């Protein structure tokens, strides 16, 4: 079975705190992709990062960093020095190949509230 | 930068009415998708479409739903007889290589 679990439903932090959003996935496929999306109150899905299953290097982009660990099937997302503008719902997603298409399986999302 | 566009941004309809949600894919993209997000819930896969036919569909995508590319550019999702539970945000996505690009979504409200 393919599944993405985001156990944290909602997290509240005070501005400038660091925060980590957890993502655990399940798949038997050896080739897959993992993603993080941000959904602000306006509703659109904002792409943050894509990682393929063969690349376990961690990545840093400004205040954002991602920790991919195949051994624990986790792809966690850390925001350093959080800001009020980071307040949104964050979704982790898994992409599988079926008949040449790559449907995405999303987690239930984590709502992040950053308080001033 | 090319974008996926969707119209309308918000559609309000009466229960039992037919609605058509439209998507303009990024040029040269060959794979198309529809996803649904009920308010406060996760984004769920509905259907994928390639070479003018459905590649895969979820359990949600029942006989009330259909997709097509009527003119080779637009990609549409039709709901034949809307129900209250069809109220959701509907996202179109198009794909090149192994990356999907999402449109801004259409918020459907069924009264």
């Amino acid at each position: 079975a393919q599944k993405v679990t985001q156990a944290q439903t909602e997290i509240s932090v005070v501005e400038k705190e660091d925060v980590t959003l957890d993502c655990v996935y399940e798949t038997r496929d050896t080739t897959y992709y993992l993603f993080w999306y941000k959904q602000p109150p306006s509703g659109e899905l904002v792409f943050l990062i894509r990682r393929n299953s063969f690349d376990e290097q961690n990545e840093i982009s400004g205040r954002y960093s991602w920790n991919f660990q195949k051994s624990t099937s986790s792809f966690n997302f850390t925001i350093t020095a959080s800001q009020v503008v980071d307040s949104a719902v964050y979704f982790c997603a898994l992409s599988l190949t079926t008949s040449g298409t790559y449907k995405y399986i999303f987690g239930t999302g984590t709502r992040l509230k950053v308080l001033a | 930068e090319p974008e996926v566009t969707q119209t309308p941004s918000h559609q309000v309809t009466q229960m039992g009415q037919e609605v058509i949600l439209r998507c303009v894919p990024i040029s040269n993209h060959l794979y198309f998708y529809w996803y649904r997000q009920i308010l406060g819930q996760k984004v769920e896969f509905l259907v994928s479409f390639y070479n003018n036919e459905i590649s895969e569909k979820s359990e949600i995508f029942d006989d009330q739903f259909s997709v097509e590319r009527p003119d080779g550019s637009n990609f549409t999702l039709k709901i034949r007889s809307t129900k209250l539970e069809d109220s959701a945000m509907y996202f179109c996505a198009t794909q090149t290589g192994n990356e999907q690009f999402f449109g801004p979504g259409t918020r459907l409200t069924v009264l």
Side-chain angles (χ1 to χ4, degrees), chain B residues 25-49:
Chain B
I26 295 173
S27 179
N28 298 325
H29 284 198
L30 301 177
Y31 295 90
F32 312 109
Y33 302 80
W34 283 101
Y35 292 84
R36 180 183 83 175
Q37 184 185 28
I38 294 171
L39 185 64
Q41 299 187 22
K42 67 179 178 181
V43 179
E44 300 174 289
F45 167 77
L46 286 178
V47 65
S48 59
F49 190 84

Side-chain angles (χ1 to χ4, degrees), chain B residues 11-16 82-84 86-87 108-111:
Chain B
Q11 171 103 40
V12 180
T13 189
Q14 295 290 327
M15 191 169 57
T82 50
K83 306 170 194 168
L84 294 176
D86 293 327
S87 294
L108 175 65
T109 302
V110 182
L111 302 176

Side-chain angles (χ1 to χ4, degrees), chain B:
Chain B
E1 187 174 319
E3 292 182 336
V4 178
T5 59
Q6 291 186 242
T7 55
S9 57
H10 192 183
Q11 171 103 40
V12 180
T13 189
Q14 295 290 327
M15 191 169 57
Q17 295 296 305
E18 174 183 287
V19 295
I20 297 176
L21 310 183
R22 291 183 169 79
C23 169
V24 179
I26 295 173
S27 179
N28 298 325
H29 284 198
L30 301 177
Y31 295 90
F32 312 109
Y33 302 80
W34 283 101
Y35 292 84
R36 180 183 83 175
Q37 184 185 28
I38 294 171
L39 185 64
Q41 299 187 22
K42 67 179 178 181
V43 179
E44 300 174 289
F45 167 77
L46 286 178
V47 65
S48 59
F49 190 84
Y50 169 72
N51 200 24
N52 285 320
E53 60 182 28
I54 290 173
S55 306
E56 184 179 356
K57 59 183 180 179
S58 71
E59 293 176 353
I60 303 169
F61 194 87
D62 61 22
D63 292 344
Q64 295 291 329
F65 293 91
S66 62
V67 290
E68 64 174 358
R69 287 196 80 195
D71 54 11
S73 59
N74 289 303
F75 176 50
T76 61
L77 174 69
K78 181 193 292 186
I79 308 175
R80 260 180 274 281
S81 178
T82 50
K83 306 170 194 168
L84 294 176
E85 53 265 38
D86 293 327
S87 294
M89 180 79 96
Y90 289 82
F91 292 102
C92 170
T94 71
Q95 178 182 320
T96 184
N98 48 34
E99 184 173 355
Q100 290 181 24
F101 296 79
F102 284 84
T106 292
R107 184 170 298 284
L108 175 65
T109 302
V110 182
L111 302 176

Side-chain angles (χ1 to χ4, degrees), chain A residues 6 21 41 71-72:
Chain A
Q6 293 180 257
L21 310 182
S71 60
T72 56

